[in-house]
Amino acid sequence: MFDKINEIFDFNQKALNLYAKRQEILSANIANADTPGYKSIDINFKNELTKMLDKKNVKNSNILLKKTSPYHLNAKSKNLFLLKTIPITTNQIKQDGNTVNMDRERIEFINNSLKYQSSLVFMKNEIKNMMYVLKG
């Protein structure tokens, strides 16, 4: 039973982290809408989430960093994930080379925010249901 609960929360935690990272990327695109030469980027959410979930199934494949000095920080391999960003192809390239399409960025920003919020509400309801069952 606890494995199932842990699995649900682990999946949602990973999804929330990915939504948050995507929000940062979309925010950077919006912030650089007037920066000459800036190329809009995004991530393929489905591929990145699949990649994160597959890491869970791989056992003993962690590559550990070797500390060569006592002043080095300890590696945190559990929360480390690298996202593969992809350039956004658009037909609205500005004269200064900027590829940010504000309509697209706004829609994706709101869409991503709604998905983040819905995941939070789902987790909140799961916790509420568990508390209800535990109280009897």
Side-chain angles (χ1 to χ4, degrees):
M1 179 175 125
F2 289 111
D3 289 342
K4 185 73 173 170
I5 293 170
N6 191 28
E7 188 175 302
I8 290 171
F9 285 119
D10 188 47
F11 172 80
N12 283 300
Q13 179 191 7
K14 288 178 179 177
L16 284 173
N17 286 340
L18 199 54
Y19 284 129
K21 286 291 183 186
R22 185 165 187 239
Q23 202 75 355
E24 289 176 14
I25 291 170
L26 295 171
S27 298
N29 288 343
I30 291 170
N32 289 296
D34 294 328
T35 303
Y38 182 81
K39 306 293 183 210
S40 180
I41 59 172
D42 202 350
I43 59 170
N44 184 329
F45 188 87
K46 182 179 175 185
N47 288 347
E48 294 299 324
L49 185 61
T50 303
K51 193 169 66 176
M52 290 175 73
L53 294 174
D54 286 344
K55 282 183 180 178
K56 175 185 158 190
N57 297 329
V58 177
K59 302 277 183 191
N60 299 325
S61 65
N62 292 339
I63 299 172
L64 300 176
L65 298 175
K66 181 179 179 182
K67 288 175 69 173
T68 57
S69 169
Y71 300 110
H72 287 166
L73 298 174
N74 292 324
K76 295 180 180 177
S77 61
K78 281 187 174 181
N79 295 327
L80 178 67
F81 61 95
L82 300 174
L83 299 176
K84 180 182 177 187
T85 58
I86 53 174
I88 301 300
T89 54
T90 180
N91 56 1
Q92 296 180 344
I93 299 174
K94 297 176 187 168
Q95 288 182 346
D96 60 4
N98 188 306
T99 62
V100 176
N101 179 345
M102 284 301 291
D103 291 335
R104 182 222 175 255
E105 300 300 330
R106 286 186 191 118
I107 291 170
E108 291 298 325
F109 189 88
I110 291 170
N111 188 19
N112 195 60
S113 296
L114 289 174
K115 289 178 180 176
Y116 185 90
Q117 291 294 325
S118 64
S119 290
L120 281 177
V121 168
F122 174 79
M123 288 181 67
K124 181 180 172 184
N125 286 336
E126 287 293 318
I127 293 170
K128 194 183 292 183
N129 287 339
M130 282 189 279
M131 295 302 292
Y132 179 77
V133 169
L134 291 174
K135 286 181 181 176

